[in-house]
Amino acid sequence: MSETRPAPLAGLKVIEISAFVAAPLGAMTLAQLGADVIRIDPIGGNIDANRWPISDDGTSIYWASLNKGKRSVTLDLKSEEGQKIATDLIAEAGTLVTNLPARGWLSYENLSQHREDLVMLRLNGSHDGKPAVDYTINAASGFPIITGDDERPVNNAIPAWDVAAGLYISNGIIAAELERRSSGKGQEITLALSDVMLATVGNLGYIAEVQATGKTRGPLGNGLYGAYGQSFATSDGREIMVAVISNKHWRGLGKA
């Protein structure tokens, strides 16, 4: 019988105060790695507690899916009593993930007075602190212009930048936790949804392409830029996607 090993983040306690996709996904990823994640919501539920899709009994499938493996506390965070209870929970845990404005009682300056080695990760919309959401950030990336097969911009149905930011959040907390274990010091980490998008666009070569060629890509439809890819309708009414990115793929397609 094999020995059951503890989860990688067993023993790490995280407080989450957030809404919508990126921060809850980041905290859920930490929970899946073994962290004890406690989510604090307003009494009566957060702004996205009833977001679609919903089940027949009115339960938000979206909310339940993003908060698997977490524990839950509801507090009136507008009251001094609620803020004190939340502060005590954060101080006891030592790690906080939030996408709320970090000012007043929720500021790092205040919370670190209650826990000197506090690790706090705060997600903003833009690098300058202004609000933004996945779909506005995606529009700014230019990707809607090359989505679809005509000149109308088409936004992505998948909140890709929220998902990417959520994984950056979990990586950021893990990195800060490793640093704290070696140095004994906490830190505040600020992450912006817009910076996640810009870093990704840069890493994939889109920025350098415009700098080098002075051109942007037009609508691609289901075509695959830089290789062969296209969708086809079959005689039995289905749609298939064929992608070829290597010589082996070409040989396999020819054989097929």
Side-chain angles (χ1 to χ4, degrees):
M1 183 176 179
S2 60
E3 181 182 353
T4 301
R5 301 179 60 182
L9 297 183
L12 176 66
K13 184 175 285 188
V14 179
I15 301 299
E16 175 197 344
I17 306 177
S18 70
F20 294 109
V21 179
L25 177 63
M28 187 188 76
T29 303
L30 295 171
Q32 290 174 329
L33 290 171
D36 179 14
V37 177
I38 303 172
R39 177 178 169 123
I40 299 177
D41 284 306
I43 296 172
N46 213 329
I47 188 173
D48 58 340
N50 297 309
R51 194 179 187 191
W52 287 8
I54 58 175
S55 64
D56 291 339
D57 65 2
T59 300
S60 171
I61 300 171
Y62 150 89
W63 197 92
S65 298
L66 275 175
N67 291 290
K68 296 186 294 288
K70 302 175 185 177
R71 294 196 284 163
S72 176
V73 174
T74 58
L75 294 171
D76 178 7
L77 294 179
K78 295 181 180 180
S79 70
E80 290 187 7
E81 181 183 12
Q83 293 172 6
K84 183 182 184 307
I85 294 172
T87 299
D88 290 342
L89 287 171
I90 293 166
E92 192 273 329
T95 303
L96 171 64
V97 171
T98 185
N99 61 355
L100 272 60
R103 51 178 179 256
W105 75 273
L106 195 56
S107 69
Y108 183 78
E109 290 73 20
N110 175 63
L111 294 174
S112 60
Q113 294 179 20
H114 300 270
R115 175 73 181 247
E116 187 176 345
D117 66 343
L118 176 69
V119 167
M120 174 176 171
L121 192 149
R122 173 166 49 92
L123 178 68
N124 294 324
S126 300
H127 67 277
D128 58 2
K130 292 180 180 177
V133 296
D134 181 281
Y135 296 104
T136 59
I137 292 296
N138 194 50
S141 75
F143 285 141
I145 299 297
I146 60 176
T147 303
D149 56 6
D150 59 29
E151 297 301 321
R152 295 176 301 168
V154 180
N155 225 331
N156 198 337
I158 301 173
W161 306 119
D162 276 339
V163 172
L167 299 178
Y168 269 103
I169 286 171
S170 59
N171 276 335
I173 290 293
I174 291 171
E177 173 63 14
L178 290 173
E179 167 65 21
R180 178 166 58 183
R181 291 182 182 185
S182 62
S183 69
K185 296 181 180 179
Q187 59 184 296
E188 180 184 24
I189 307 161
T190 56
L191 177 68
L193 203 59
S194 62
D195 287 345
V196 171
M197 178 273 289
L198 289 169
T200 304
V201 170
N203 293 340
L204 294 177
Y206 285 86
I207 295 174
E209 178 185 4
V210 173
Q211 291 175 325
T213 67
K215 299 177 182 178
T216 58
R217 300 178 196 177
L220 294 174
N222 281 331
L224 180 61
Y225 183 81
Y228 179 77
Q230 192 55 59
S231 60
F232 294 92
T234 65
S235 60
D236 59 355
R238 294 182 299 163
E239 291 281 340
I240 62 170
M241 181 72 188
V242 176
V244 182
I245 59 175
S246 71
N247 290 333
K248 182 179 179 180
H249 287 166
W250 278 115
R251 290 193 295 270
L253 180 62
K255 184 178 179 180

